[in-house]
């Protein structure tokens, strides 16, 4: 694969028979997991003419991982400037996907970032936007009220307006990447759990309950299951249970994407809240999504228990009552998983002992917006062993800082 693919049919998947007579397929690339990262990786690889096999333990579009649901925030603003820089290409990748598929997947609403005057997260965020040449504006409460009368603010707050923020249609993005990957010839096997990846063979071997496949490159995009699949690496990944609440306002027009922004808030208690305007279901009026970003209950990815926590719902309802009273009470909640690294930065790297085994994991509750770009990065790494993007902060062997001291709002 060094030097890239020369075309679909030149690198055609080969079939070998081992001494026991079992057919072994050799693919250019095997992608493990069909969530946001795996679907985008499969798309980029297949587009470049690779023979790609995607193995997904559940059905595509399942709701047991991290990429389901209607929406995810996309934004430039980050307190770490390397994310802001990468987002320049990530936005372009999403627009390319829209052109390739003919679907609208990315909606721009602008965002307001609310926090107490001088809060360190707001300062750091503004700094990275400025460093990347991305426009933003400080507003005061009066300016916010003039533009978005839905908010009730108390205390001495400051607001960072960023016009390019918006949201992605999450589940639709994943299914679109998969559909296009298939159109380019990728094979997707659902309900096929990978039980082991043997990278010590000449060509890495991927075993499932009933079969085995060989891939010149194997890419692990297994979300909350990555730690188990790569147990020998002892990756610093923690899986947590997360919940989002949905609201159906009486006057839904007030919360449509053209009238209401994405918003984030570092509350006076140091909590991180985010919201996405009304979108999807609830009979065309859509529903507003609000949640707290933070370390949830630590669980195992295989725990089937996904019961919403009533105390959490009451807490978010109380916040909404104060900040956005017209939203009323939540009508529905959804449970999802974060896979967190100690410093909340991703892991994008090759296995330390096997350059043919690539890993994209630990997206720490803020990876979705990057997935179209991560797919491109993984495809470049698979094809040539390198990528033009700065993935230095995502190395496996970096020192995992527990905290930078700056409160962070991801999502
Ligand atoms: C509540 C919530 C809100 C979020 N909000 C945002 C946001 O606003 N903006 C943003 O950018 N990000 C957000 N994120 C984060 C983002 O959604 C995730 O970072 C991203 O979806 C992770 O994708 P993934 O492909 O790594 O994981 P997943 O989507 O979980 O995909 C991994 C896939 O691998 C499969 N798999 C695992 N093990 C195996 C195996 N052994 N064999 C076969 N298949 C296997 C799984 O079944 C799964 O389908 C949010 C996450 C949550 C939970």
């Amino acid at each position: 694969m060094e030097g890239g693919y020369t075309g679909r049919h030149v690198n055609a998947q080969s079939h070998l028979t081992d001494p026991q007579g079992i057919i072994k397929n050799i693919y250019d690339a095997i992608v493990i997991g069909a969530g946001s990262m795996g679907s985008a990786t499969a798309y980029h690889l297949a587009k470049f003419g690779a023979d790609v096999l995607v193995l997904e333990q559940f059905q595509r579009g399942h709701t047991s991982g991290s990429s389901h649901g209607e929406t995810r925030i996309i934004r430039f603003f980050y307190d770490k400037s390397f994310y802001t820089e990468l987002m320049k290409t990530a936005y372009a990748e999403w627009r390319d996907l829209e052109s390739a598929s003919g679907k609208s997947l990315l909606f721009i609403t602008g965002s307001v970032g609310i926090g107490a005057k001088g809060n360190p997260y707001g300062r750091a965020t503004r700094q990275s936007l400025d460093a990347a040449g991305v426009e933003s504006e400080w507003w005061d409460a009066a300016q916010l009220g003039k533009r978005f009368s839905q908010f009730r603010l108390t205390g001495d707050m400051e607001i960072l307006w960023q016009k390019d923020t918006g949201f992605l249609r999450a589940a639709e993005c994943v299914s679109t990447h998969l559909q296009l990957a298939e159109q380019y010839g990728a094979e997707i096997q659902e309900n096929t759990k990978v039980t082991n990846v043997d990278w010590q063979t000449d060509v890495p071997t991927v075993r499932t309950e009933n079969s085995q496949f060989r891939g010149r490159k194997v890419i692990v995009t297994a979300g909350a299951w990555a730690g188990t699949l790569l147990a020998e690496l002892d990756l610093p990944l923690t899986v947590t249970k997360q919940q989002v609440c949905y609201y159906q306002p009486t006057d839904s027009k007030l919360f449509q994407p053209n009238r209401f922004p994405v918003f984030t808030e570092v509350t006076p208690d140091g909590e991180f809240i985010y919201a996405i305007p009304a979108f999807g279901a609830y009979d065309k009026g859509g529903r507003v999504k609000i949640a707290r970003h933070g370390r949830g209950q630590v669980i195992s990815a295989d725990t089937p228990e996904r019961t919403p926590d009533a105390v959490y719902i009451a807490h978010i309802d109380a916040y909404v009552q104060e900040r956005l009273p017209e939203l009323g009470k939540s009508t529905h909640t959804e449970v999802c998983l974060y896979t967190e690294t100690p410093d909340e930065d991703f892991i994008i790297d090759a296995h330390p002992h096997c350059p043919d085994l690539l890993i994209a994991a630990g997206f720490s509750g803020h990876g979705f917006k990057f997935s179209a770009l991560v797919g491109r990065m993984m495809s470049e790494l698979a094809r040539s062993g390198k990528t033009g993007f700065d993935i230095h902060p995502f190395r496996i062997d970096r020192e995992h800082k527990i905290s930078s001291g700056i409160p962070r709002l991801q999502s």
Side-chain angles (χ1 to χ4, degrees), residues 47-367:
K47 195 169 94 171
F48 267 91
D51 286 298
V52 181
L53 172 65
V54 180
L55 299 171
E56 167 54 52
Q57 63 182 343
F58 304 129
Q59 282 187 323
R60 65 178 83 188
H62 69 87
T63 57
S64 300
S66 306
S67 302
H68 56 282
E70 282 156 0
T71 52
R72 292 288 187 279
I73 296 173
I74 180 167
R75 60 183 163 90
F76 277 117
F77 66 88
Y78 262 92
D79 58 347
K80 293 180 177 177
S81 54
F82 52 85
Y83 285 117
T84 303
E85 279 301 332
L86 287 175
M87 278 312 300
K88 291 176 182 171
T89 317
Y91 270 98
E93 286 296 335
W94 289 115
R95 290 303 187 201
D96 284 354
L97 185 67
E98 290 187 315
S99 306
S101 63
K103 293 182 190 173
S104 296
L105 300 169
L106 164 55
F107 295 81
I108 300 296
T109 59
S111 61
V112 292
I114 301 174
K117 236 188 183 114
N119 78 85
Y121 176 78
R123 302 285 127 182
T125 297
R126 176 68 190 249
Q127 257 175 22
S128 31
L129 290 170
D130 287 351
V134 177
E135 279 174 45
S136 61
E137 282 172 37
W138 286 119
W139 288 356
D140 60 20
Q143 282 167 291
L144 177 73
K146 227 155 117 193
R147 179 78 182 264
F148 300 112
S149 59
Q150 300 92 329
F151 291 93
R152 304 282 180 278
L153 286 197
T154 46
D156 203 6
M157 306 297 254
E158 66 188 8
I159 296 105
L160 190 63
W161 164 251
Q162 210 296 307
K163 67 178 175 48
D164 305 295
T165 305
F167 62 89
L168 292 157
R169 293 170 64 199
E172 194 64 33
C173 290
V174 175
S175 68
T176 301
H177 270 135
L178 289 176
Q179 279 159 15
L180 292 185
E182 279 178 315
Q183 281 172 25
Y184 281 112
E187 190 184 326
I188 299 168
Q189 289 197 15
E190 298 171 54
N191 301 312
T192 307
K193 182 175 176 134
V194 172
T195 51
N196 168 262
V197 182
D198 185 355
W199 46 269
Q200 283 165 322
T201 45
D202 53 343
V203 176
T205 303
V206 173
R207 297 202 174 81
T208 66
E209 273 147 7
N210 305 314
S211 202
Q212 60 181 19
F213 306 92
R214 298 207 288 162
R216 293 181 181 92
K217 300 284 172 182
V218 172
I219 298 124
V220 177
T221 49
W225 292 264
T228 315
L229 203 55
L230 299 165
E232 82 274 10
L233 289 182
D234 198 20
L235 295 172
L237 299 176
T238 305
V239 177
T240 63
K241 178 176 161 184
Q242 301 289 333
Q243 264 177 250
V244 299
C245 296
Y246 288 98
Y247 293 82
Q248 185 177 21
T250 322
D251 185 358
S252 72
K253 283 196 204 73
L254 269 182
F255 292 91
Q256 294 302 305
N258 59 349
R259 301 268 304 270
F260 186 67
V262 162
F263 95 86
T264 58
E265 174 167 1
V266 181
T267 69
D269 302 334
E271 285 198 312
F272 308 112
I273 308 282
Y274 63 89
I276 301 181
F279 187 79
Y282 286 153
D283 285 283
K284 322 296 183 243
R287 48 193 192 173
V288 178
K289 172 170 156 179
I290 305 198
R292 176 176 67 194
H293 169 86
R295 192 155 265 218
Q297 181 196 342
V298 176
I299 61 166
S300 148
D302 286 317
T303 308
E305 197 273 308
R306 295 285 194 273
T307 320
D309 172 4
V311 175
Y312 172 90
I313 298 168
H315 181 74
I316 300 293
D317 277 355
Y319 168 84
V320 166
Q321 186 56 38
E322 204 174 291
R323 186 65 78 234
L324 295 157
E326 275 144 319
L327 280 180
K329 281 189 176 238
S330 57
T331 51
H332 176 69
T333 64
E334 201 169 65
V335 173
C336 187
L337 301 176
Y338 278 3
T339 308
E340 301 176 47
T341 62
D343 56 12
E344 297 188 30
D345 295 330
F346 313 150
I347 293 175
I348 298 178
D349 206 345
H351 187 289
H353 307 301
C354 178
D356 296 331
L357 179 52
L358 301 171
I359 301 159
F363 288 94
S364 304
H366 64 113

